[in-house]
Amino acid sequence: MREVAIIGVGMTRFGELWNQSLRDIFTEAALKAIDDAGVDHIDSMYIGSMSPGLYVGQEHIGSMLADYLGVTPVPASRVESACASGSVALRQAIFEVASGYSDIVLAGGVEKMNDGEDTTYILATAADQEYEAYFGVTFPGLYAMIARAHMHRYGTTGEQLAAVAVKNHANGYRNPNAQFRMKITKETVLNSTMVADPLHLFDCSPVTDGGAAAIVVPLEMADKLKGQPVKIIATAQASDTIALHSRSDLTTVSSIGKAAEKAYKMAGLTPDKIDLAEVHDCFTIAEICAYEELGFAEKGKGGAAAESGLTALDGKIPVNTSGGLKSKGHPVGATGIAQIAEIVAQLRGEAGERQVKNARIGLTQNMGGSGGSCTVHILEAM
Amino acid sequence: MKSIVPRYTREIPQRARLEGAKCLKCGHIEFPPRLVCSKCRHREFETISLQKTGTLLTYTIIYTPAETFSMQSPFAVGIVELDDGVRLTTQIVDVPLDELKIGKRVEMIFRLVQKEGHAGILEYGYKAVLTN
Amino acid sequence: MIGIVGYGSYVPCYRITVDEIARQWGKKGDDIKNGILVYEKSVPGMDEDTITIAVAAAKNALKRAQIDPQKIEGVYIGSESHPYAVKPSGTVLVDALGIGPEVHVADYEFACKAGSEAMYVAFSHIKSGEMNYAMGIGADTSQGAPGDALEFTASAGGSAFIMGKENVLAEILATYSYTSDTADFWRREGRMYPMHGSRFTGEPAYFKHVLGAGRGILKKTGLEPEDFKYAVFHMPNGKFPLKAGKTLGFTKKQMEPGWVVPWIGNTYSGSSITGLSAALDAAAPGDKILMVSFGSGAGSDAFVFQTTEAIEAAQHLAPTFKEMTTKKRIYLTYGEYVRYRGKIQLND
C-alpha cells in the first residue's frame, strides 16, 4: 500500500446559501480544492451526502456533480453514512489511492439543508426509523438522552455543556467561513430556547448549507504538485448499533473509542501526542463524549475538561478551532471533509487568527447518527 | 400520498403486542426480532411476549419535533428497560413533565402514535406511563 | 349459567371542569353545575381514541376473566366515535390483544347505547351456544360543539364485558329492548359535531325509552325495584338518571354506586355500562343489578344481572372504577382542551 497525502482542500462559506443549489455548492468547493492542489485533472471522485433525496429530491448525485464539475467520464459515486458521510467518502479516496488504482482522487461532501423540507424529520432518518423516530424522537432528543444519562451518572452540568458552545463560538468568530460568527456566553446557551431537555438551542449545531472537498494523492507524487501536502497517518472507522437504546452504556459513544483505538494504533501514537482536533460537536454533549473516548479526558470527566480550558484555542489540546459544527455550521454530508480542511489549514500554518502554534499532528472525528458510525483520521504536517 | 401501510401491518406484532424473539441457544431476547442473535450469533428463536413493566433509564422532552408530532409537543421520550432486560425507545405520556425522573417505574400501554395526515391510516403502538 | 365472566373500564386521566368551560363562554359555572349535576368531565389524551380506550378497558376485563385471549370468539365494539368512518375498530383491538384471527368482529353504532348493544350481541352468541366467550365493548371520545350545552358533558371512556358460561361473575337473568324512530340527537356523515333537539331529548326521547325499557323488564321478570341492590340508568347528565330511577321506584342509594357521571361526564357508549362496572366493583355475591341504557334515535336496552360468589375475588384483579378515576387526574385549561380535542384548524 502506498502512503497517502492531502494536497488540496476547499470549502464554501457555511450558512444559509439561498442563492446556491446543491450542485453549485459542491462545484464551488471542488474547484477550490482542485485549484489549491494545483492538479489539472482527477481520476475519480467520492461525494459524501446524507440525504439529497429527501432534502432536494435528487439522488444519483455522483453523476450530477461529476457532470457539473466537468470531469465526466471519471467514476463518481455518492457515499452515505449519515453525518459521517464526508469522512467515509475520504476513506474511499484514501483506499483507491493507497491501493494504486488511482493517483488523484477527489473526496467531497455536500448538503443543501435549507430548501424547505422538514429537516427534523430528515435528520431523524439517521436513527432507527421504525423503533426510534417512529415515536417522535429527534436527533437533539437522542443526544439529550445521552446528556441526561451523563449528568445523572457523572454529575455533568448544563454549564459544562454550555462551555463547549462558548469555546466553539469563540473559535468560529475567527473563521470567515463559519455560519455563526459571534461570541456567546454561558448565559446565552442556558437562556436559549429548550429544544430537547436538557439541550438548549445553543447546545445544538445549526441547519446549514455547505460543501467541502479534498484532493488525495500518493505521498510520492505530492512533492511534484503545487499544494503543500499533509500526510494521512491514520484512517479508521467503527460501527455501533443503529438504535441508541441497544447500547449497554447510554453515557458512552463507543464507536468513537473503537475508531480512535484503531487510528492511534495505525499512527503509532498516544492521545497526548495530538496537537489539535476537530471533533463532531453536533451537540455539546457529543464533544464531551468525544473527549472521553479520544483519550483527552477520563470517562466521566469530559464536562470538567470542557470547563477547564484544556481544549480552548490556547489550551493544551485545542478542539474545534474552526468553530466546530456548533459555530461553523453542520451541512451534514460536508462536515467530515470540512474538518479535514481545518486540520490541513492548521498543519500548513494557514489558519490565520485561529492558528495553533507548532501544530504538527491533527485528528478529526466525525460520526453518523447517535454514533452508529464513526471515523477518526490523524494527519501529520510535512 | 406517502403511506407506510404495508410496513405498519407487518410490524403489528411488535407495535401492538410487544412480541420479541428469544434466542434458543443463549436466551437473549431481541426486540424487534432478528435473524441472527446479537449476543451469540445463533439463528433460531422462539416468539415471546415481552414484560409490560420496566424502568426509565433516560429521557428527554421534545420541544422541536418533526412536523408529524407538532401538535403533541412538548412530549416526553425515553429509553425504558423492561423487566426482561429488553430496552426500547418510547413516549412517556399522561404525566406532568416535571415528574419524570431516571429510575421511575413504567408500564407499557397501547396508544395512537402517528396519523398519516387527515386522510391516511392511524398508526398505533406502545407507549409508557409511570406506574407511581 | 350465562353472564359476565370479566369486566373492565378505562377513563382517561385528563379532566376539564364545568367551571372552566363556563368561564370560556361567559356563563356561570354554578348555574350549570346545579342544572346538570356534572362538575367535571374526562378528556381523551391526544393519543387516545375509541380504539385505545376500548383496548385499555378490554385489558382490564381480561385481567378479571383470567382467560387466554385466544378463547374469545366474538368481539363487538359500540361507539359513536369510531376513528375510521370505513375500517373497523375491532380489528385493531383484536390484534392488539392477541385475540383471533379465528374471531367474529363487528363495530356498532347506536348513539349512546352502542355499548349495551355490543354486550347484548355477545351475550346472545353465548346463549345460542354458538360461542364460548364473546366480548362486548362500549367506548367513546365524544365531541360537543364548542359553546353547545353538550360541551359540558361530552367526555371519553369505555367499558368491556366478556360473556361466557364458566366462572360467571354476574349472571344475566333477563334482557329487554325498547326502540322507536325518534330523532332527538344525530350527526350526519362527515360532520364533526352532533345536533340535538334540546328539550326534545328529554320526555319524548330519554324518558320515553328508559322508562319503557325499565317498566318492560320489571314486568318481564316480575321483579320489584326493592329486589335490586343497584340500578344504573344512562347518564347524559346527572339529573336524568336520578329522575328516571325515582319514577320507576328506585332510591338514590340504589343508584349512587353506578351514578358515575358527576366527575367524568357522559362517556356516551361507555356511560351506562361504566356505571354497571362501578356497581359490580361494589357488589356482593347475590346482588341483583338493573341496567338501562339509552341511545338517541332512539332506544334502550335493559339488563338484569345477579352477581355470583366469584365476584369478590375478581373485583381487585384490575383497577376499580374508583381507583382509576381518582388516582391520577390532570386538569386542562380550555385552550389545552381544544388542542387536545383537535378543534384547532391546522394547515396540512
Side-chain angles (χ1 to χ4, degrees):
Chain A
M1 290 231 296
R2 300 193 287 185
E3 289 191 296
V4 171
I6 290 174
I7 191 74
V9 291
M11 66 180 280
T12 64
R13 189 173 69 78
F14 279 7
E16 291 166 330
L17 309 181
W18 304 118
N19 291 320
Q20 284 179 276
S21 66
L22 178 113
R23 63 190 79 182
D24 297 336
I25 293 168
F26 171 78
T27 306
E28 180 190 322
L31 289 173
K32 281 180 176 169
I34 287 169
D35 292 348
D36 183 46
V39 292
D40 58 4
H41 73 284
I42 59 172
D43 297 327
S44 93
M45 59 189 253
Y46 294 93
I47 304 109
S49 190
M50 174 183 157
S51 204
L54 290 174
Y55 275 118
V56 297
Q58 179 71 58
E59 304 288 12
H60 202 194
I61 65 169
S63 160
M64 182 178 81
L65 299 180
D67 179 7
Y68 275 76
L69 187 58
V71 296
T72 55
V74 305
S77 309
R78 169 182 156 211
V79 172
E80 190 277 313
S81 197
C83 307
S85 298
S87 62
V88 173
L90 174 67
R91 281 169 55 78
Q92 312 318 308
I94 291 169
F95 300 153
E96 189 164 325
V97 173
S99 70
Y101 194 89
S102 296
D103 285 334
I104 306 174
V105 180
L106 183 145
V110 64
E111 212 75 53
K112 177 70 188 170
M113 300 172 75
N114 286 297
D115 257 4
E117 291 296 331
D118 179 1
T119 202
T120 305
Y121 166 77
I122 295 170
L123 292 176
T125 63
D128 186 329
Q129 177 73 328
E130 299 180 9
Y131 289 90
E132 290 181 315
Y134 181 77
F135 297 98
V137 72
T138 59
F139 252 92
L142 289 168
Y143 279 93
M145 290 198 284
I146 296 174
R148 187 173 312 273
H150 207 279
M151 290 167 143
H152 182 75
R153 186 177 301 169
Y154 299 112
T156 304
T157 64
E159 283 79 7
Q160 291 173 340
L161 298 182
V164 172
V166 171
K167 167 186 71 72
N168 290 350
H169 271 275
N171 293 345
Y173 176 73
R174 300 160 189 251
N175 183 351
N177 284 324
Q179 181 171 8
F180 289 111
R181 297 186 67 192
M182 74 238 197
K183 292 181 182 172
I184 60 166
T185 64
K186 280 187 188 177
E187 287 67 38
T188 316
V189 181
L190 296 172
N191 296 332
S192 64
T193 307
M194 197 64 95
V195 170
D197 196 355
L199 299 183
H200 293 82
L201 181 65
F202 273 79
D203 285 298
C204 307
S205 56
V207 175
T208 311
D209 304 328
I215 307 292
V216 179
V217 297
L219 193 60
E220 68 221 23
M221 186 196 269
D223 291 342
K224 298 171 203 128
L225 295 166
K226 179 196 112 187
Q228 185 187 339
V230 167
K231 190 176 165 187
I232 296 169
I233 57 173
T235 174
Q237 183 177 345
S239 60
D240 199 353
T241 62
I242 179 80
L244 177 63
H245 60 238
S246 305
R247 318 239 173 101
S248 57
D249 179 359
L250 299 173
T251 67
T252 300
V253 185
S254 64
S255 61
I256 306 176
K258 299 286 183 204
E261 197 184 321
K262 277 202 235 171
Y264 287 134
K265 196 177 166 197
M266 189 171 176
L269 291 174
T270 47
D272 58 302
K273 297 290 188 294
I274 303 297
D275 294 322
L276 81 164
E278 287 286 303
V279 311
H280 196 91
D281 60 321
C282 48
F283 301 94
T284 48
I285 183 65
E287 181 163 326
I288 286 171
C289 291
Y291 295 165
E292 297 175 0
E293 290 302 289
L294 292 170
F296 301 162
E298 279 175 48
K299 183 68 211 166
K301 304 266 177 68
E307 253 181 345
S308 72
L310 174 83
T311 56
L313 196 52
D314 57 357
K316 186 163 159 276
I317 160 98
V319 170
N320 285 333
T321 57
S322 67
L325 285 54
K326 175 70 203 77
S327 162
K328 184 183 55 188
H330 183 28
V332 287
T335 284
I337 302 291
Q339 291 179 324
I340 293 289
E342 175 69 8
I343 296 294
V344 166
Q346 289 281 0
L347 299 184
R348 284 172 168 179
E350 295 173 352
E353 281 184 71
R354 57 186 199 283
Q355 181 65 48
V356 174
K357 280 185 198 137
N358 306 319
R360 297 288 308 156
I361 309 275
L363 176 147
T364 67
Q365 176 263 325
N366 180 209
M367 63 184 162
S370 57
S373 58
C374 183
T375 65
V376 172
H377 285 89
I378 304 176
L379 282 66
E380 184 178 14
M382 292 183 66
Chain B
M1 199 194 101
K2 181 175 164 288
S3 175
I4 63 161
V5 168
R7 188 188 110 194
Y8 176 76
T9 307
R10 189 167 66 234
E11 292 169 353
I12 285 172
Q14 282 74 53
R15 301 243 183 268
R17 297 196 294 276
L18 282 166
E19 282 184 11
K22 187 174 185 179
C23 175
L24 288 178
K25 190 173 167 204
C26 75
H28 180 71
I29 303 169
E30 299 289 0
F31 182 81
R34 303 179 176 213
L35 298 179
V36 182
C37 176
S38 63
K39 293 285 176 258
C40 75
R41 303 202 47 77
H42 191 68
R43 298 183 194 182
E44 289 167 299
F45 297 88
E46 63 172 326
T47 299
I48 61 157
S49 286
L50 303 185
Q51 296 289 312
K52 303 299 185 290
T53 51
T55 305
L56 187 58
L57 298 183
T58 185
Y59 68 94
T60 181
I61 296 155
I62 307 275
Y63 290 89
T64 309
E67 281 161 19
T68 311
F69 293 90
S70 60
M71 272 305 264
Q72 292 181 38
S73 84
F75 58 91
V77 175
I79 295 179
V80 164
E81 182 169 293
L82 299 177
D83 291 338
D84 46 27
V86 169
R87 290 178 177 194
L88 43 79
T89 299
T90 179
Q91 279 193 30
I92 306 128
V93 295
D94 292 359
V95 60
L97 296 173
D98 56 5
E99 284 181 19
L100 291 168
K101 240 178 106 180
I102 289 176
K104 286 238 180 181
R105 294 287 296 163
V106 302
E107 181 181 1
M108 304 308 292
I109 54 161
F110 182 78
R111 289 287 172 92
L112 185 61
V113 178
Q114 289 191 36
K115 294 177 186 174
E116 284 186 345
H118 292 302
I121 61 160
L122 303 170
E123 298 162 11
Y124 297 88
Y126 50 82
K127 291 191 183 181
V129 289
L130 298 188
T131 52
N132 266 308
Chain C
M1 189 189 288
I2 296 168
I4 295 166
V5 302
Y7 71 95
S9 298
Y10 176 78
V11 179
C13 68
Y14 299 96
R15 297 284 186 280
I16 185 165
T17 62
V18 165
D19 284 329
E20 174 68 8
I21 299 171
R23 190 182 60 77
Q24 180 65 27
W25 298 102
K27 293 177 182 168
K28 287 201 174 103
D30 286 344
D31 294 352
I32 292 163
K33 287 184 281 185
N34 290 336
I36 61 176
L37 298 182
V38 172
Y39 308 106
E40 55 192 56
K41 67 169 190 174
S42 62
V43 179
M46 278 183 280
D47 56 358
E48 294 187 288
D49 60 19
T50 287
I51 291 175
T52 66
I53 288 170
V55 167
K59 277 185 181 171
N60 286 333
L62 280 164
K63 282 181 192 167
R64 288 201 173 94
Q66 295 181 285
I67 58 164
D68 179 355
Q70 283 285 323
K71 288 188 174 169
I72 294 174
E73 296 164 277
V75 171
Y76 307 100
I77 305 182
S79 179
E80 62 133 59
S81 53
H82 288 290
Y84 287 96
V86 177
K87 187 192 177 302
S89 298
T91 52
V92 181
L93 178 126
V94 295
D95 259 17
L97 296 178
I99 300 171
E102 291 182 323
V103 61
H104 182 242
V105 171
D107 283 8
Y108 294 127
E109 185 280 314
F110 195 142
C112 292
K113 91 164 183 78
S116 68
E117 194 176 0
M119 288 172 67
Y120 193 105
V121 172
F123 164 66
S124 299
H125 282 309
I126 310 300
K127 199 174 171 189
S128 72
E130 186 67 22
M131 297 179 185
N132 291 309
Y133 292 102
M135 179 150 54
I137 306 168
D140 256 313
T141 56
S142 309
Q143 291 269 27
D148 187 87
L150 290 180
E151 193 179 25
F152 292 106
T153 53
S155 70
S159 292
F161 297 86
I162 301 170
M163 304 297 180
K165 48 199 171 195
E166 280 173 35
N167 299 318
V168 171
L169 309 180
E171 185 181 2
I172 295 175
L173 300 181
T175 61
Y176 183 90
S177 291
Y178 188 96
T179 310
S180 76
D181 187 13
T182 307
D184 59 316
F185 168 99
W186 63 90
R187 179 165 65 85
R188 291 264 300 275
E189 181 77 33
R191 303 306 297 180
M192 187 166 179
Y193 303 115
M195 296 282 289
H196 59 84
S198 195
R199 290 188 63 79
F200 185 73
T201 59
E203 290 305 329
Y206 179 87
F207 289 103
K208 176 183 167 188
H209 296 86
V210 169
L211 297 179
R215 287 177 183 130
I217 202 161
L218 290 176
K219 189 177 170 201
K220 182 178 175 183
T221 56
L223 293 167
E224 299 292 333
E226 50 270 28
D227 295 327
F228 291 88
K229 181 74 187 246
Y230 303 119
V232 182
F233 303 94
H234 172 58
M235 292 161 270
N237 54 53
K239 274 198 170 160
F240 277 23
L242 295 184
K243 190 176 169 194
K246 197 175 166 192
T247 307
L248 289 171
F250 290 91
T251 64
K252 180 115 189 258
K253 199 179 164 202
Q254 285 169 297
M255 292 187 272
E256 195 104 57
W259 188 58
V260 296
V261 64
W263 302 100
I264 65 165
N266 177 9
T267 56
Y268 282 59
S269 300
S271 177
S272 54
I273 63 174
T274 300
L276 170 65
S277 175
L280 287 169
D281 286 341
D287 286 348
K288 284 194 181 65
I289 303 170
L290 171 70
M291 181 189 86
V292 183
S293 67
F294 171 71
S296 292
S300 283
D301 295 327
F303 288 75
V304 173
F305 303 95
Q306 183 164 27
T307 53
T308 69
E309 294 294 328
I311 187 72
E312 285 179 320
Q315 279 161 342
H316 291 283
L317 294 176
T320 63
F321 173 80
K322 201 170 181 182
E323 284 164 1
M324 188 169 345
T325 52
T326 54
K327 214 166 143 188
K328 180 165 72 176
R329 277 175 294 197
I330 298 174
Y331 287 88
L332 303 178
T333 62
Y334 191 85
E336 289 167 328
Y337 164 73
V338 297
R339 181 160 76 107
Y340 272 54
R341 296 305 288 126
K343 293 173 197 268
I344 300 174
Q345 289 266 323
L346 292 178
N347 288 332
D348 276 325

